[in-house]
Amino acid sequence: MVEAQLGFYHHPPQLLDGLEARARELGIDLSSIDLDAITLPAGEDLDTPSDDDEILQNEDPPEVEMGFANTIVVDNLPVVPPEKFEKLGNIIRKIFSRASAIKEGGFWMPVNADTNVTYGYCFIEYNTPQEAQLAREMGNGYKLDKSHILVVNIFDDFERYMKVPDEWTAAETKPYTPGENLHKWLTDENARDQFVMRAGTYTEVYWNDARQLSSELIYQHQFWTDCFIQWSPLGTYLATLHRQGSQVWGGEDKFVRLMRFAHPQVELIDFSPGERFLVTYSSHKPSNPRDTHKVVLNIFDVRTGKLMRDFKGSSDEFTIAENIVFSGVPWPCFRWGGGKDDKYFARLGKNTISIYETDTFSLIDKKSLKIENVVDFCWSPTDPVVALFVPEMGGGNHPARVSLMQIPGKEELRQKNLFSVSDCKMYWQSNGEYLAVQVDRYTKTKKSTYTGFELFRIKERDIPIEVLELDNKNDKIIAFAWEPKGHRFAVIHGDDPNPDISFYCMQAANTSRVSKLTTLKSKEANALYWCPTGHFILIAWVKGFTGKLEFYNVDELETMATGEHFMATDIKWDPTGRYVATVVTAVHEMENGFQIWSFSGKLLYKLSKDHLYQFSWRPRPPALLAPEKEEEIMRNLKKYSKKYEQEDRDASNQMTEQERVKRTQLEEEWAAWVAKWKQLHEEDHSHRIELRDGDASDEEEEYEAKEVEVEEVVGIIEEVVAFELDH
């Protein structure tokens, strides 16, 4: 063969001369040969080196992934004949493609050759083990129907299961290792509170060290979340959102990941009041623009990460027109009831309220509550009682109504019919003692509306209802707020920009009826922020430019202080009610940052932070003291406060000493700087005399100022100008 006679395959340039000579000896015309098409016998290189040999020797050998870590086994499927094979396969693909894209040709459902029906399981292959793990977490326990709850395992796990010995042996007893102390932050010796801040790409957690008039950084993490962060209601966890799902963090000295919750493209989350459950939400655009968004809602157990229940469907199934908030779905979609026990949750549907119990995550009595035309409901903060609102129907023949219903018995406790209703809002007091219903009614001409309040006394016999009308019932209601754990409420009413603010009490002296305490006239305000412990309120103008603040003592009915935070967008009380933060977020391009104030209105310190997206205090769990013990502490507060007053004085003295040392240091630096320049001034004395033509004095008063005019020719330009004489 020509290839063998030539004696080589790969021909570097330096061998071309030899190639041509050898070809002439053999009588071969090289121009007639395609050298690139020449191949060597298998396994033979005829001692000709390859250009790639050195590269391959220097490269690390490729890692070969052994096993089937990217494959899952889905068991407990229905056993179906050939005519249902395609339908079942499409359903399974749809379920498991939510975790990630299934590898092409990666779905296989074996068929029994004898009976020609499926075996009841299938194999699904993904591109990576991580995707398979996510699919296992999402699909395991999925309820396909009443008889088929899916069991999902990683294929590689079967090898581990096969190694389980036939004979039982006692498990090795391992020494106890304590887990993360999730409440260590509550034991701070200075009783400080924490807050989290998300600015730019960084998320940071701080101590609020008001005694030192500063904040202390605890933890910093860049790109910690893809979207936003959220504390759990009792402050135990901090949640972050990611493309694959949500995570919760906590711990003693730093935040460690405690649990993951798989939910691709998650957009929103919500904790139950007792932190037992986490609700995650995602909305997916349909391929057909005429269709509505597809909604996925998952409810997880926070401690175990187990998926307890999921809800899927179009956005139309989760809302009614009056409540569209986020991608066509109100948020939070589920509202929790039963107090801190997280016993019930409910959602609003068309003509229904679906109430579920968390013991089984199924509907109470296996059916939704049918209420024609219901548009809103809310739970009592402490008891399993639902307040619901139904507007007028039939052109006014059927009046609007507000009803109170006991759960789980669905017994109606109280009902109030309302006429000529334009709108209705419901406000529960934090202890569940009162319910205020703000009712906007049409006038007789139907051309305008006026507002009144229906006040329910929930804890009293037969739940009496009082009607409250403002002095000017035509006043527009701008804001309403109950005093936390108290019996008072405040209302901003009137016309912008200077409405009035009225305070009322449900238990005034010598009367069991609601009574007005006072009205503050013409205040520049649009929001009310009660101190978490009551007694004090911050009256503010937010989401505007003025940022006016007024700190008001409701016990004494007097203003303690006024202030201003230009362009403030948010106001946040710390959970103890000692401090309040006013915040300017990235809603505005300028002035981003926060200011910390005392409850009485003293500005303590402030911090600027560019691109500030979130500021949130860490919540505290309820006190473990009995109400009687709290009352005793309040009675003897002066005795207990002596210790802390001394600590405050010590901290103040320490700050005074630190400030004195700082001022002394600045004075010494200034004196050294002045001495340095005086020395340089003396060293230049002879040079200055020379510049003054021998005059030795440096005093300006001894010189006579003279003005000298100097003329200087800058330049001459000659130009010939043509002109004509008149004839």
Side-chain angles (χ1 to χ4, degrees):
M1 293 179 63
V2 174
E3 296 91 331
Q5 291 175 4
L6 289 177
F8 48 82
Y9 167 54
H10 193 77
H11 41 275
Q14 64 266 28
L15 298 181
L16 289 178
D17 293 341
L19 172 63
E20 293 173 353
R22 180 63 173 161
R24 284 194 298 269
E25 292 176 4
L26 297 173
I28 298 173
D29 183 8
L30 286 179
S31 62
S32 64
I33 298 175
D34 183 3
L35 298 180
D36 292 332
I38 297 174
T39 58
L40 294 174
E44 178 63 77
D45 60 10
L46 300 180
D47 298 325
T48 304
S50 168
D51 291 340
D52 297 330
D53 286 348
E54 183 178 353
I55 299 175
L56 292 174
Q57 290 173 1
N58 295 333
E59 285 185 348
D60 294 331
E63 294 184 4
V64 179
E65 183 178 326
M66 304 300 292
F68 299 91
N70 62 334
T71 302
I72 61 173
V73 182
V74 183
D75 205 352
N76 204 28
L77 295 175
V79 176
V80 297
E83 58 269 20
K84 294 184 179 180
F85 185 90
E86 182 178 357
K87 181 179 179 181
L88 178 61
N90 290 335
I91 293 173
I92 299 303
R93 287 189 187 92
K94 183 178 179 181
I95 293 171
F96 286 92
S97 61
R98 291 170 181 164
S100 188
I102 298 173
K103 193 173 182 179
E104 186 175 353
F107 178 82
W108 181 46
M109 189 156 48
V111 177
N112 189 318
D114 296 332
T115 61
N116 206 26
V117 297
T118 60
Y119 280 105
Y121 60 85
C122 72
F123 301 89
I124 301 176
E125 184 179 4
Y126 292 92
N127 291 296
T128 66
Q130 291 77 14
E131 293 176 351
Q133 184 67 26
L134 182 62
R136 189 197 69 80
E137 293 176 1
M138 292 186 62
N140 191 41
Y142 184 91
K143 189 174 182 180
L144 195 62
D145 56 38
K146 293 182 179 179
S147 304
H148 299 89
I149 298 176
L150 303 185
V151 178
V152 184
N153 291 284
I154 303 296
F155 191 89
D156 272 0
D157 289 345
F158 284 91
E159 183 178 354
R160 177 166 55 88
Y161 299 149
M162 295 301 294
K163 293 180 180 179
V164 176
D166 294 334
E167 295 184 4
W168 176 85
T169 56
E172 178 184 358
T173 303
K174 296 181 179 180
Y176 170 73
T177 55
E180 291 290 331
N181 185 351
L182 302 181
H183 297 95
K184 179 66 181 289
W185 59 281
L186 292 170
T187 63
D188 179 62
E189 59 181 9
N190 294 319
R192 297 175 297 178
D193 280 287
Q194 294 180 1
F195 61 85
V196 65
M197 182 167 55
R198 188 169 63 90
T201 59
Y202 286 91
T203 301
E204 300 169 331
V205 183
Y206 290 85
W207 285 114
N208 173 38
D209 203 342
R211 286 178 175 174
Q212 302 298 329
L213 304 182
S214 64
S215 53
E216 178 187 336
L217 180 64
I218 306 169
Y219 187 74
Q220 183 185 67
H221 198 307
Q222 190 177 21
F223 304 114
W224 200 3
T225 180
D226 294 345
C227 186
F228 63 90
I229 49 178
Q230 182 172 323
W231 292 110
S232 59
L234 305 180
T236 308
Y237 310 105
L238 181 64
T240 58
L241 271 69
H242 309 271
R243 183 177 60 86
Q244 304 91 338
S246 180
Q247 301 182 100
V248 294
W249 309 73
E252 298 186 19
D253 301 324
K254 62 180 181 179
F255 288 81
V256 298
R257 182 172 53 232
L258 303 173
M259 189 58 64
R260 292 173 174 165
F261 308 96
H263 188 151
Q265 302 176 28
V266 62
E267 299 171 59
L268 295 170
I269 60 172
D270 180 48
F271 284 93
S272 62
E275 300 183 339
R276 290 179 57 196
F277 306 106
L278 176 71
V279 183
T280 60
Y281 164 91
S282 64
S283 176
H284 307 271
K285 292 183 179 180
S287 56
N288 186 348
R290 297 181 179 179
D291 295 337
T292 58
H293 283 70
K294 300 300 181 183
V295 170
V296 178
L297 286 153
N298 292 329
I299 304 180
F300 296 93
D301 185 292
V302 172
R303 288 178 176 263
T304 65
K306 181 181 179 182
L307 179 63
M308 307 304 297
R309 177 75 190 261
D310 65 349
F311 298 83
K312 300 179 178 67
S314 68
S315 58
D316 293 341
E317 299 175 33
F318 292 88
T319 187
I320 57 177
E322 289 82 353
N323 275 331
I324 294 177
V325 176
F326 188 88
S327 297
V329 174
W331 190 256
C333 186
F334 295 115
R335 305 177 192 180
W336 294 88
K340 302 298 183 184
D341 295 333
D342 297 340
K343 195 168 184 180
Y344 306 103
F345 64 96
R347 68 181 178 96
L348 184 65
K350 187 175 182 180
N351 298 323
T352 62
I353 299 177
S354 300
I355 304 176
Y356 302 81
E357 54 183 350
T358 55
D359 290 341
T360 61
F361 280 87
S362 59
L363 288 167
I364 293 179
D365 297 334
K366 298 183 179 180
K367 59 183 178 181
S368 296
L369 190 61
K370 300 289 185 181
I371 304 173
E372 187 177 358
N373 210 30
V374 61
V375 296
D376 195 16
F377 79 97
C378 54
W379 289 92
S380 163
T382 55
D383 302 303
V385 175
V386 173
L388 57 92
F389 170 64
V390 178
E392 289 181 339
M393 295 181 291
N397 293 327
H398 297 280
R401 73 178 190 273
V402 172
S403 298
L404 296 175
M405 186 170 294
Q406 182 81 42
I407 302 299
K410 302 179 182 179
E411 173 190 357
E412 188 172 73
L413 303 177
R414 191 73 160 87
Q415 176 179 308
K416 179 63 181 290
N417 291 334
L418 306 169
F419 297 89
S420 301
V421 176
S422 166
D423 193 15
C424 178
K425 296 183 178 68
M426 297 178 287
Y427 305 95
W428 281 98
Q429 183 251 15
S430 61
N431 286 347
E433 296 183 48
Y434 310 108
L435 172 68
V437 180
Q438 176 185 323
V439 184
D440 297 337
R441 291 182 169 91
Y442 291 109
T443 58
K444 291 182 178 180
T445 62
K446 301 286 186 179
K447 294 181 179 180
S448 61
T449 61
Y450 64 96
T451 303
F453 292 91
E454 307 283 337
L455 303 173
F456 292 69
R457 297 179 179 269
I458 306 298
K459 302 296 183 180
E460 296 183 19
R461 184 177 179 180
D462 297 330
I463 310 181
I465 303 172
E466 292 183 60
V467 177
L468 172 66
E469 291 186 352
L470 303 178
D471 294 340
N472 182 357
K473 65 180 183 180
N474 294 320
D475 276 357
K476 171 187 173 184
I477 303 298
I478 299 173
F480 176 96
W482 283 104
E483 177 186 21
K485 304 177 183 179
H487 306 285
R488 295 173 289 200
F489 60 90
V491 184
I492 301 180
H493 55 93
D495 297 323
D496 292 332
N498 296 303
D500 298 337
I501 304 172
S502 295
F503 293 89
Y504 297 85
C505 184
M506 298 290 289
Q507 291 187 356
N510 302 322
T511 178
S512 60
R513 295 184 59 82
V514 62
S515 59
K516 185 170 74 172
L517 302 177
T518 189
T519 295
L520 308 179
K521 295 290 186 179
S522 299
K523 292 294 181 179
E524 194 172 349
N526 62 1
L528 300 166
Y529 299 93
W530 281 95
C531 173
T533 57
H535 310 290
F536 310 106
I537 191 170
L538 177 53
I539 303 166
W541 183 280
V542 293
K543 296 180 173 61
F545 286 101
T546 62
K548 295 289 186 181
L549 308 172
E550 182 172 347
F551 297 81
Y552 193 76
N553 185 336
V554 185
D555 291 342
E556 304 297 332
L557 299 179
E558 63 181 13
T559 298
M560 298 181 291
T562 59
E564 181 178 314
H565 189 171
F566 182 60
M567 295 196 301
T569 57
D570 299 280
I571 293 179
K572 311 272 189 178
W573 280 95
D574 86 325
T576 65
R578 296 175 296 174
Y579 308 104
V580 60
T582 56
V583 188
V584 179
T585 61
V587 171
H588 298 298
E589 296 181 358
M590 305 181 301
E591 306 291 335
N592 286 190
F594 65 89
Q595 298 180 1
I596 302 296
W597 308 70
S598 70
F599 75 93
S600 58
K602 180 181 178 182
L603 178 60
L604 302 176
Y605 68 93
K606 54 186 176 181
L607 179 66
S608 297
K609 207 76 172 178
D610 291 338
H611 306 293
L612 177 60
Y613 300 116
Q614 280 185 267
F615 178 100
S616 180
W617 292 100
R618 187 171 193 172
R620 283 178 174 263
L624 300 178
L625 298 175
E628 296 78 12
K629 184 63 177 178
E630 290 188 10
E631 292 179 5
E632 178 190 343
I633 292 174
M634 293 300 295
R635 288 195 302 268
N636 301 284
L637 190 59
K638 291 184 178 180
K639 180 181 71 173
Y640 291 110
S641 64
K642 289 181 180 179
K643 170 187 173 183
Y644 302 105
E645 289 174 355
Q646 182 60 45
E647 290 181 359
D648 288 342
R649 285 193 292 269
D650 293 342
S652 178
N653 293 336
Q654 182 182 2
M655 288 185 61
T656 303
E657 178 63 21
Q658 291 174 351
E659 189 66 26
R660 187 190 66 78
V661 171
K662 184 178 179 180
R663 285 199 302 268
T664 302
Q665 182 180 355
L666 290 174
E667 290 175 359
E668 291 174 352
E669 291 176 356
W670 169 253
W673 186 85
V674 171
K676 171 187 173 183
W677 285 102
K678 282 184 177 180
Q679 182 181 354
L680 293 174
H681 185 266
E682 292 297 330
E683 292 174 355
D684 291 341
H685 182 64
S686 59
H687 183 56
R688 290 196 303 275
I689 293 176
E690 181 182 347
L691 293 174
R692 292 192 295 261
D693 297 329
D695 197 328
S697 177
D698 286 331
E699 299 298 330
E700 293 184 4
E701 292 80 1
E702 298 182 9
Y703 295 93
E704 180 181 351
K706 294 182 179 180
E707 292 185 3
V708 180
E709 293 184 2
V710 179
E711 293 184 359
E712 181 181 354
V713 178
V714 178
I716 299 175
I717 299 174
E718 293 183 359
E719 184 177 353
V720 178
V721 179
F723 65 92
E724 297 180 358
L725 297 175
D726 295 335
H727 296 289

